[in-house]
Amino acid sequence: MRLTRKQTQEQTRSRLLDAAAEAIFAGGLSALSIRSVCEAAGYSQGAFYSNFASRDDLLLALMEQHIGEQAANLSALITGMGRGNLNQDMRDIARWLADHGETEGWSRINADFKLHAQRDPAFAEGYRATAEPFHRAFAVLMGDLVHRHGLQPILPAQDLSVGLYALWTGLALQQAVDPALPRQEIYLAFLRAAMIAPHAPLSSFPKGHHS
């Protein structure tokens, strides 16, 4: 079946993103160039600029694709969580984080992106905006715990979600050099420390999917 123009453009964009991811997996962010991505994907630079405004635009699209997948997975966890006691709910979240930790390759990409953001304020702004859906999903997950169990957390939802995301990605990267690291127990310790101390009003957290 002949592809429509929109389908052809989506296919081109997807192949360019795949080629970029493979290049970063293999050699890091410094190894990525528009020319190398186009050659690997089999397209001209004209095709690249029909889909992306710049190299940084490509990087943010790559990040958005990955974070979107993870945010969807996290939202599914929120929807499907049982209605157990507080300890069980926290263990379920900690287990999910450990089981769905970012792959080593994506952890390296994320570390490269953060370093790039430190050097480039414009990219940093795009990075923060792209990561927002995932932080929001984490905030809803924590808010669900807060309202279901009547907790008073130590920080607002957004701050805790950013902290948990940093812990998640950092431990995923650390696993490459320390495979025996007890990540699930570390996540559980974070959740217990963050969600029980009575220092913040419940109104600082969004309501989740509790009944």
Side-chain angles (χ1 to χ4, degrees):
M1 180 182 296
R2 185 180 180 85
L3 297 178
T4 65
R5 182 176 180 179
K6 181 179 179 179
Q7 289 172 327
T8 299
Q9 185 170 22
E10 289 175 349
Q11 184 181 78
T12 301
R13 181 182 177 88
S14 178
R15 288 180 178 174
L16 288 167
L17 287 169
D18 289 345
E22 289 176 7
I24 301 174
F25 287 156
L29 198 57
S30 60
L32 184 70
S33 69
I34 293 175
R35 176 176 293 179
S36 66
V37 168
C38 291
E39 290 177 352
Y43 293 111
S44 67
Q45 291 191 39
F48 177 92
Y49 286 111
S50 293
N51 288 275
F52 306 102
S54 64
R55 177 177 178 270
D56 279 359
D57 189 35
L58 168 69
L59 296 178
L60 291 174
L62 191 61
M63 179 181 168
E64 181 178 19
Q65 176 178 276
H66 179 64
I67 283 185
E69 293 170 358
Q70 294 288 17
N73 290 337
L74 186 57
S75 294
L77 170 69
I78 299 169
T79 302
M81 277 183 62
R83 295 296 181 259
N85 58 40
L86 174 60
N87 186 59
Q88 186 59 53
D89 282 351
M90 286 189 172
R91 286 195 172 277
D92 287 346
I93 295 170
R95 185 182 304 112
W96 184 91
L97 290 168
D99 291 345
H100 293 78
E102 295 190 326
T103 63
E104 180 183 343
W106 271 107
S107 299
R108 291 201 310 271
I109 286 181
N110 203 8
D112 280 344
F113 281 9
K114 284 183 169 66
L115 289 173
H116 184 36
Q118 285 183 341
R119 303 184 186 104
D120 188 328
F123 183 79
E125 183 176 350
Y127 181 97
R128 287 191 295 271
T130 302
E132 175 61 26
F134 200 60
H135 296 324
R136 190 162 54 246
F138 263 131
V140 170
L141 176 60
M142 291 185 178
D144 188 79
L145 278 181
V146 165
H147 290 279
R148 186 188 310 166
H149 298 290
L151 304 177
Q152 290 184 313
I154 61 175
L155 290 171
Q158 186 70 8
D159 293 343
L160 283 178
S161 68
V162 171
L164 183 55
Y165 179 68
L167 178 64
W168 190 41
T169 56
L171 287 180
L173 191 62
Q174 182 66 23
Q175 188 181 24
V177 295
D178 189 2
L181 196 69
R183 290 182 299 152
Q184 183 172 327
E185 294 307 312
I186 294 173
Y187 297 135
L188 185 58
F190 175 93
L191 290 168
R192 285 173 172 166
M195 304 298 266
I196 296 178
H199 296 303
L202 294 182
S203 59
S204 67
F205 275 71
K207 291 185 178 181
H209 297 267
H210 64 289
S211 55

